[in-house]
Amino acid sequence: VAEWNQKVLPLLAEVDEISSNTASRFVPWSAEYQPCAVFPRSCRLGKLELDLSAAAELFAKETPLTLASHEHITLPLALAFPQEGSLLIETDDDGGKWVAEVMNGVLFRLLSLAPPGKAALTIIDPVGLGQNFAGLMHLADYEPALINRRIWTQRDHIEERLAELNEHVEKVIQMYLRNEYATITEYNEQAGSVAEKYHFLVIAGLPAGFSETGMARLKSIAASGARCGVFTLIHWDRRYTLPEGLSAEDLRKGSLRLVREKGVVSFNGISSITLDPAPSDAIAAELA
């Protein structure tokens, strides 16, 4: 009982605190753009629901332990910067429209929260030829740099964009972090209005379109990018094995991982999750 009170009850109190935090709740999509003053610490993409009623009933019968009216728990599923700001989606098929909706939902939420010009996207879509992210192309009409000019589909172009991101990581380490800051987030807290922007590398249908050189550059970004403000949103079609030199662990480390197998979506083995919807085409066009 003492151990329960010491370990479990504080967790339940933390659940209550998270539930009362409005920032962790789903905000319905609107064409109004209300960015944060600074880059947000997290970006919600869904919610996780736990039904502990059966366990609570057993505890009540057999022990003095109690869940203190927490038989049903709902927690936000969110990217957290900089520790877990990357997302890896693994599917046993091509993912179809579902993957595109999940990724677009996350990207539009990021863009709607980030201060103007502080989130830049590099989008790679060799299988869909850019169609999966067509709604984001409206951004290029106003500021091409926000999406790195266009959606990239050809192998040579993919290698070039990955090389640019690797160079950016090197610059951040050598010019900003050095031996003073552990992450770009710490640096930005001191930098104020000249804070460095965050970069998001978006890849649909990995490993399609990737050469060995491209894979090596992706591995480097996955290993060192997060502390430098370069995060990945990757869909891996597991029907195709990763080439030698890039392991599943390389991709999974530091990423929030969603898995869809036989149509069932899970996070850390828990399938009772609901992902937030992407904005409608009309609202997406207004936001972009």
Side-chain angles (χ1 to χ4, degrees), residues 135-172:
L136 290 162
M137 282 304 299
H138 295 288
L139 293 169
D141 298 336
Y142 303 97
E143 180 48 71
L146 288 175
I147 59 166
N148 206 344
R149 293 161 285 169
R150 53 175 284 193
I151 298 170
W152 304 97
T153 62
Q154 302 301 314
R155 179 169 294 192
D156 291 345
H157 292 157
I158 292 171
E159 288 185 11
E160 291 171 3
R161 301 295 80 77
L162 294 174
E164 290 171 356
L165 286 173
N166 271 285
E167 290 174 4
H168 174 75
V169 169
E170 292 175 5
K171 182 186 77 171
V172 169

Side-chain angles (χ1 to χ4, degrees), residues 26-69:
F26 172 69
V27 178
W29 288 106
S30 167
E32 296 183 11
Y33 175 47
Q34 297 179 325
C36 299
V38 296
F39 198 88
R41 287 285 188 170
S42 64
C43 175
R44 174 184 156 129
L45 60 133
K47 62 181 180 181
L48 184 149
E49 298 174 296
L50 297 175
D51 182 358
L52 305 176
S53 56
E57 185 177 353
L58 178 62
F59 292 161
K61 287 181 179 179
E62 303 293 337
T63 73
L65 307 179
T66 175
L67 288 177
S69 301

Side-chain angles (χ1 to χ4, degrees), residues 120-132:
L121 311 178
T122 297
I123 304 175
I124 296 172
D125 186 18
V127 178
L129 299 180
Q131 183 59 44
N132 288 319

Side-chain angles (χ1 to χ4, degrees), residues 176-197:
Y176 302 133
L177 301 185
R178 298 183 178 178
N179 62 347
E180 298 179 65
Y181 303 100
T183 68
I184 198 65
T185 300
E186 291 184 12
Y187 169 84
N188 283 344
E189 289 174 352
Q190 304 294 325
S193 61
V194 293
E196 185 68 22
K197 68 175 63 175

Side-chain angles (χ1 to χ4, degrees), residues 90-126:
E90 302 178 22
T91 63
D92 57 3
D93 54 19
D94 63 7
K97 292 183 178 180
W98 177 80
V99 165
E101 289 175 357
V102 173
M103 298 184 87
N104 276 283
V106 174
L107 293 172
F108 274 100
R109 186 63 73 191
L110 281 167
L111 292 170
S112 69
L113 293 173
K118 293 302 182 182
L121 311 178
T122 297
I123 304 175
I124 296 172
D125 186 18

